[in-house]
Amino acid sequence: MHAPPLPINHIHHVELAVGNAKQASFYYRNTFGFTQEAYAGPETGQRERASYFLRQGNARIILTTPLFKDDPLARHIHEHGDGVVDIAFHVRNADESYTEAVARGGKSAQEPHTVTDKNGSVRRAAIHTYGDVIHSFITPIDYKGIFLPKFEPYELKGRSTGLRAYDHMVGNVEDNHMSKWVDWYNSVLGFDMFLTFDDKDISTDHSALRSTVVASEDRRIKFPINEPADGLKKSQITEYLDYNNGPGVQHIALYTDNIVDTISTMTEQGVDFLQAPDAYYDHLAERVGVIDEDINVLKKLNILVDRDDKGYLLQLFTKPVEDRPTLFYEVIQRKGAEGFGKGNFKALFVAIEQEQRRRGNL
Ligand code: FE2
């Protein structure tokens, strides 16, 4: 059932639970080019956790480490490793969004409450989505500080790579659970079904997955949801579910206006990207037609290209950014195309499977 959209303005931030937020901040600054802007911890009135707020353009992340073993976040890291705990929305009215979402079947994670410091107050609430991930609803009341109450300025400049916004965020769920979660986003948040891919689109000789994209009414928030499909061998989604102990965020796509510059800088700064098979570039020109970029440069940087009826897009995927083969990132530049690189899925999966094989999971 499709419900009217909840009034969600945009993604406020994404929070990651990590084992050592101080060191994770160093990584995200010096490789991805985020700038650390604020800190919350015992010194600022947040007794139980240390959190670092980092930003690049409109992409905001919080890296949080629990300081005590009984913190639920400690259990989160124990079970899932480092990864996303919260995709938080900036909403017009957190109380209303929460009440409406719960009335529509959303499960409460945090009742509406006010968080305050000397800079003012913010109203917050949260509901559960797939796995142990939540969606927070955030509405500033009279807050004039740097980010959120309890955070104080603590700037450490990153080596910028030109990433400037979230493009989409992908969830992996269990086999046969994709439609349930698509229905959930339709009925609880009022998101539309945007695109769907079946295992014929996304399969190799070894493994397959199905994916459906749900999006907010203005299309500014896009959440593809994947489930594994039967293949000859283990699906990359199954491998994720094994290591993450269940569903969770598989990748976050970050938007750039100049992917060649962004990928050059990120590579220089030590980000590990997936390598497309060599043959990928042999027939690229035939497949995608005329593009502004030099194919030799794209080949050198391993950047993938795909075209749909509206234009083309360029994209590239990192390897997982932690030891478990779980969360990774995508860098994407759109030149008209609104899709997700369907034409690249096959090439991409061959690359992912090379990695899976090296881990003994294929
Ligand atoms: Fe993606």
Side-chain angles (χ1 to χ4, degrees):
M1 189 193 71
H2 191 281
L6 283 191
I8 293 170
N9 297 333
H10 55 259
I11 291 174
H12 186 278
H13 68 264
V14 174
E15 182 168 18
L16 293 100
V18 297
N20 188 335
K22 182 183 274 194
Q23 289 189 5
S25 170
F26 185 90
Y27 175 80
Y28 280 98
R29 292 194 318 267
N30 291 298
T31 58
F32 278 69
F34 283 83
T35 283
Q36 179 182 302
E37 297 192 350
Y39 164 79
E43 302 85 346
T44 73
Q46 179 176 277
R47 303 282 317 150
E48 320 258 298
R49 297 175 175 182
S51 298
Y52 297 80
F53 162 54
L54 283 73
R55 192 170 68 82
Q56 192 168 186
N58 289 322
R60 300 176 195 83
I61 58 173
I62 304 179
L63 303 166
T64 297
T65 291
L67 302 177
F68 299 99
K69 72 175 172 56
D70 294 331
D71 190 320
L73 214 55
R75 186 190 58 81
H76 198 285
I77 295 169
H78 176 70
E79 288 192 7
H80 310 297
D82 288 7
V84 174
V85 287
D86 187 4
I87 300 172
F89 301 126
H90 185 290
V91 297
R92 199 174 56 206
N93 183 318
D95 292 70
E96 278 176 23
S97 293
Y98 171 87
T99 305
E100 183 62 30
V102 170
R104 294 177 184 182
K107 195 171 141 229
S108 173
Q110 291 166 22
E111 304 253 323
H113 58 284
T114 304
V115 191
T116 303
D117 71 7
K118 61 180 189 297
N119 295 309
S121 298
V122 166
R123 205 59 190 154
R124 296 187 67 141
I127 56 168
H128 290 280
T129 176
Y130 50 77
D132 277 328
V133 181
I134 63 170
H135 286 307
S136 283
F137 300 123
I138 298 179
T139 306
I141 302 168
D142 56 355
Y143 182 68
K144 294 185 183 61
I146 186 161
F147 176 56
L148 284 170
K150 316 274 190 215
F151 279 85
E152 289 183 7
Y154 181 6
E155 189 179 283
L156 292 171
K157 278 246 181 304
R159 306 199 297 184
S160 174
T161 60
L163 297 169
R164 69 169 184 82
Y166 291 118
D167 188 88
H168 60 274
M169 291 171 203
V170 183
N172 282 346
V173 301
E174 305 97 325
D175 193 8
N176 285 316
H177 282 60
M178 181 181 74
S179 338
K180 184 189 103 175
W181 286 106
V182 169
D183 290 347
W184 187 92
Y185 277 98
N186 287 164
S187 60
V188 177
L189 298 185
F191 280 20
D192 296 318
M193 189 128 77
F194 183 63
L195 272 177
T196 178
F197 308 97
D198 64 20
D199 31 342
K200 284 172 215 65
D201 297 321
I202 319 181
S203 67
T204 66
D205 295 342
H206 296 305
S207 72
L209 65 85
R210 286 178 288 270
S211 186
T212 298
V213 185
V214 292
S216 61
E217 196 180 27
D218 62 9
R219 299 283 186 260
R220 290 204 301 184
I221 303 173
K222 282 173 272 183
F223 294 155
I225 298 168
N226 297 333
E227 67 179 4
D230 287 336
L232 286 176
K233 296 200 174 162
K234 187 187 260 193
S235 167
Q236 52 160 302
I237 307 305
T238 307
E239 189 197 38
Y240 174 100
L241 295 168
D242 288 351
Y243 281 88
N244 193 62
N245 281 314
V249 174
Q250 179 211 35
H251 76 267
I252 296 175
L254 297 163
Y255 188 84
T256 172
D257 290 322
N258 186 336
I259 198 164
V260 168
D261 284 358
T262 297
I263 298 298
S264 302
T265 313
M266 287 176 79
T267 303
E268 233 172 74
Q269 294 180 173
V271 178
D272 269 341
F273 290 101
L274 278 179
Q275 301 266 326
D278 291 344
Y280 176 84
Y281 295 92
D282 293 352
H283 303 286
L284 186 64
E286 288 160 45
R287 189 161 66 74
V288 300
V290 179
I291 55 171
D292 303 334
E293 295 73 15
D294 178 347
I295 288 185
N296 289 319
V297 173
L298 300 181
K299 185 176 179 179
K300 200 176 121 235
L301 294 169
N302 246 290
I303 295 169
L304 310 173
V305 192
D306 194 31
R307 186 178 279 283
D308 64 18
D309 50 344
K310 305 245 171 60
Y312 69 99
L313 62 80
L314 305 115
Q315 65 188 162
L316 185 53
F317 299 83
T318 72
K319 292 184 183 176
V321 294
E322 56 288 302
D323 291 304
R324 297 193 199 196
T326 51
L327 176 70
F328 61 89
Y329 288 84
E330 172 182 349
V331 176
I332 184 166
Q333 180 179 6
R334 293 180 183 278
K335 294 200 160 176
E338 291 178 358
F340 296 84
K342 180 172 143 180
N344 288 324
F345 288 165
K346 184 132 189 170
L348 178 67
F349 288 4
V350 170
I352 289 176
E353 284 168 9
Q354 282 168 8
E355 297 292 315
Q356 240 182 295
R357 194 172 294 114
R358 290 177 59 213
R359 291 189 286 264
N361 291 327
L362 191 71

